C-alpha cells in the first residue's frame, strides 16, 4: 500500500454527513467508527473483511457526495446509482493502487447494512433528532429481523 492512497482515504473521512441539516455535525470517520463498533459489539465473530468494509464503506462519498437516506428511500434508482458509484470508486482505487474493496458474503452485507443503519439510530438518539430516530429504528428492525432469521441474537 502506498502513503498517497492512505492519505486520500483518510481525508475521505472528513466528508460531512447530514449536509441537509446544518446543526448535525458528523463526518464519515465518526460514522464508520460507529459502524465498526456496532459490528464488533453485536456480531459474535466478525470477519476481517466485514470490519474493513465497515471502515471503508462510505469513502466514495468524498468523490460523489453523500446521497441522503430519505432520497434513496423515495427514489430506489438513486440507491442503485449510489451502489454503482461506490463500485466505480473502488474500481479506480484498484486500478491505480491494487487495493481491493473487501468481498462480503450476502450475510456479511446484511450485517453491514444493519450496522450502518443502527449507527444512524445511535447518532440521532444522541443528537435528539426524533424523525431520524423513528426512521432509522424502523429500518434497523427490518434488518435485525433478517439477521434473527439467520440465527443471530440481536
Amino acid at each position: 500500500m502506498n502513503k498517497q492512497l492512505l492519505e486520500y482515504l483518510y481525508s475521505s473521512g472528513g466528508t460531512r454527513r447530514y449536509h441537509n441539516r446544518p446543526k448535525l455535525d458528523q463526518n464519515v470517520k465518526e460514522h464508520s467508527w460507529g459502524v465498526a463498533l456496532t459490528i464488533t459489539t453485536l456480531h459474535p465473530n466478525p470477519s476481517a473483511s466485514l470490519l474493513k468494509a465497515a471502515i471503508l464503506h462510505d469513502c466514495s462519498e468524498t468523490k460523489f457526495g453523500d446521497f441522503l437516506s430519505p432520497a434513496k428511500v423515495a427514489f430506489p434508482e438513486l440507491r442503485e446509482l449510489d451502489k454503482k458509484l461506490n463500485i466505480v470508486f473502488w474500481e479506480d482505487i484498484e486500478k491505480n493502487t491494487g487495493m481491493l474493496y473487501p468481498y462480503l458474503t450476502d450475510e456479511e452485507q446484511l450485517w453491514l447494512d444493519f450496522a450502518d443503519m443502527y449507527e444512524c439510530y445511535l447518532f440521532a438518539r444522541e443528537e435528539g433528532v426524533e424523525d431520524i430516530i423513528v426512521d432509522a429504528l424502523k429500518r434497523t428492525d427490518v434488518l435485525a429481523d433478517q439477521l434473527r432469521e439467520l440465527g443471530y441474537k440481536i
Side-chain angles (χ1 to χ4, degrees), residues 3-97:
K3 285 178 26 180
Q4 186 177 11
L5 173 61
L6 175 59
E7 290 167 0
Y8 176 67
L9 293 176
Y10 185 83
S11 71
S12 75
T15 303
R16 304 307 310 163
R17 295 174 48 82
Y18 303 104
H19 58 274
N20 64 326
R21 296 180 183 229
K23 293 183 181 180
L24 292 183
D25 187 26
Q26 186 186 44
N27 63 36
V28 169
K29 289 175 196 170
E30 294 160 339
H31 167 66
S32 297
W33 175 82
V35 173
L37 179 66
T38 299
I39 290 168
T40 300
T41 304
L42 299 180
H43 194 295
N45 189 23
S47 69
S49 290
L50 179 55
L51 291 170
K52 287 178 185 178
I55 294 166
L56 299 171
H57 77 281
D58 281 341
C59 286
S60 65
E61 291 177 4
T62 194
K63 185 171 185 178
F64 299 114
D66 179 16
F67 291 96
L68 298 173
S69 185
K72 291 190 278 189
V73 170
F75 299 98
E77 62 273 16
L78 187 57
R79 180 178 303 282
E80 291 307 309
L81 176 61
D82 188 39
K83 289 178 185 177
K84 288 177 184 174
L85 291 173
N86 194 52
I87 290 168
V88 167
F89 177 84
W90 285 104
E91 285 175 345
D92 285 347
I93 295 289
E94 179 183 0
K95 182 177 73 175
N96 293 322
T97 69

Side-chain angles (χ1 to χ4, degrees), residues 42 107 110-111 114 118 137-154:
L42 299 180
E107 189 172 310
L110 180 59
W111 265 101
F114 166 78
Y118 197 71
L137 195 53
K138 182 176 77 172
R139 293 170 57 199
T140 298
D141 284 345
V142 170
L143 297 166
D145 286 344
Q146 292 175 24
L147 289 169
R148 286 185 198 102
E149 288 174 13
L150 295 173
Y152 291 99
K153 295 182 185 345
I154 299 286

